[in-house]
Amino acid sequence: MDIQNSVAVVTGGASGLGEAVARALTEAGARVAVLDTQLERAESLAAELGGIAIHCNVADARSAENGFAQIRERLGLCGIAVNCAGIVRGAKIVGKEGPMPLEQFNEVIQVNLVGTFNILRLAAADMAAREANQEGERGVFVATSSIAAYEGQIGQVAYTASKAGVAGMMLQAAREFAGRGIRVNGVAPGIFMTPMMSGLPEAVQESLAANVPFPSRMGKPEEFASLVEQIISNPMINGEVIRLDAALRMAPR
Ligand SMILES: NC(=O)c1ccc[n+]([C@@H]2O[C@H](COP(=O)([O-])OP(=O)(O)OC[C@H]3O[C@@H](n4cnc5c(N)ncnc54)[C@H](O)[C@@H]3O)[C@@H](O)[C@H]2O)c1
């Protein structure tokens, strides 16, 4: 699908992978809406890019419905939606203090899995109302899974379950939307240098990077954004989750 002149929604767009996507899509000519819970950061990025910023909690139905209503009014129907909003919380199923509190599991599932579905349902409804291009395409949705969906490390049960859920939805949703010309894909990143990672101690960052076969380093957010652009532009990519991990397979811990 053409990125030029499309309305593109990027959740988690105020930071890291989402910010890189918002920059790349703007560069490619899209009109970008940056949705995030960090409104100030979203606003300063949107001002720089000439897009719009909207406070939105992806886990909340009303907040996201309100966000999409604003996007329709201010930019038009979205043709591209990239969901990057996500959180990480580490805890063992049974830790030193006993069983993991259920609320901790729930919080991650709400943001990462329910949040992805919330944006998918609203974006797809708007995409379905757009005019199709020559290929019959009306929209493209890209979700952010993780290689943790396949190789969850000890202490990552909630994150792993949430990202596996995201990966599992892609083919199902692509099938449902095939008749409406909407493609649905996910990216499963390995380790990328974003604020989520740069907060870790340097020694931990170095040991994480050392386990990456080639190139033996963390990915750059622009490399993630470049794959997202390819997914949007290439009509044959559909119902897939693409690993972007430099051959990394996570060890148990
Ligand atoms: N960085 C990595 O190595 C890596 C690897 C695999 C997957 N991922 C996934 O990529 C996505 C982006 O991660 P990142 O590394 O850029 O992290 P990040 O922390 O830099 O960015 C995440 C953004 O999401 C926003 N956000 C969090 N909860 C939200 C909510 N409920 N509603 C709206 N916005 C919310 C945050 O405010 C932040 O701006 C996440 O889904 C993460 O799980 C990252």
Side-chain angles (χ1 to χ4, degrees):
M1 218 182 72
D2 264 352
I3 297 175
Q4 180 93 37
N5 294 327
S6 288
V7 174
V9 176
V10 184
T11 76
S15 172
L17 302 183
E19 179 180 337
V21 170
R23 288 182 184 283
L25 296 183
T26 303
E27 184 80 12
R31 285 170 293 147
V32 173
V34 178
L35 273 58
D36 209 293
T37 44
Q38 299 191 70
L39 185 58
E40 255 177 57
R41 285 183 66 159
E43 277 175 340
S44 77
L45 180 66
E48 189 191 325
L49 301 181
I52 64 169
I54 295 172
H55 181 272
C56 171
N57 173 7
V58 295
D60 185 88
R62 298 287 160 272
S63 174
E65 285 161 12
N66 174 49
F68 274 83
Q70 282 192 55
I71 294 161
R72 274 195 298 277
E73 208 179 285
R74 295 166 68 185
L75 299 179
L77 292 167
C78 85
I80 297 166
V82 185
N83 192 77
C84 295
I87 55 170
V88 188
R89 302 273 187 273
K92 287 187 177 176
I93 302 168
V94 181
K96 286 193 187 103
E97 266 117 60
M100 177 180 175
L102 196 54
E103 311 79 66
Q104 270 183 32
F105 187 85
N106 221 347
E107 186 196 3
V108 177
I109 298 291
Q110 285 300 318
V111 175
N112 294 359
L113 178 55
V114 178
T116 303
F117 177 73
N118 197 18
I119 300 303
L120 172 64
R121 77 186 175 102
L122 297 170
D126 279 5
M127 288 170 185
R130 295 178 77 237
E131 221 162 283
N133 68 11
Q134 279 186 329
E135 182 78 56
E137 286 182 295
R138 290 192 170 80
V140 185
F141 181 88
V142 184
T144 311
S145 179
S146 164
I147 61 169
Y150 311 105
E151 299 115 38
Q153 296 191 294
I154 292 166
Q156 283 203 327
V157 64
Y159 189 72
T160 291
S162 69
K163 295 298 187 178
V166 169
M169 275 196 294
M170 300 296 100
L171 178 62
Q172 190 283 333
R175 285 172 164 172
E176 177 178 329
F177 297 136
R180 280 175 271 191
I182 299 167
R183 290 185 290 116
V184 183
N185 291 288
V187 179
I191 304 171
F192 277 70
M193 182 47 95
T194 66
M196 204 180 243
M197 285 292 155
S198 57
L200 297 172
E202 218 156 283
V204 176
Q205 288 183 31
E206 275 166 21
S207 94
L208 281 172
N211 288 326
V212 182
F214 184 79
S216 189
R217 61 166 172 81
M218 293 196 194
K220 299 172 191 163
E222 308 86 78
E223 291 163 336
F224 174 87
S226 158
L227 178 57
V228 170
E229 276 192 80
Q230 177 56 210
I231 290 171
I232 296 165
S233 307
N234 191 328
M236 285 304 285
I237 306 178
N238 196 13
E240 184 58 286
V241 181
I242 302 174
R243 292 183 69 122
L244 189 66
D245 62 10
L248 175 64
R249 298 296 178 270
M250 298 285 252
R253 59 177 91 233

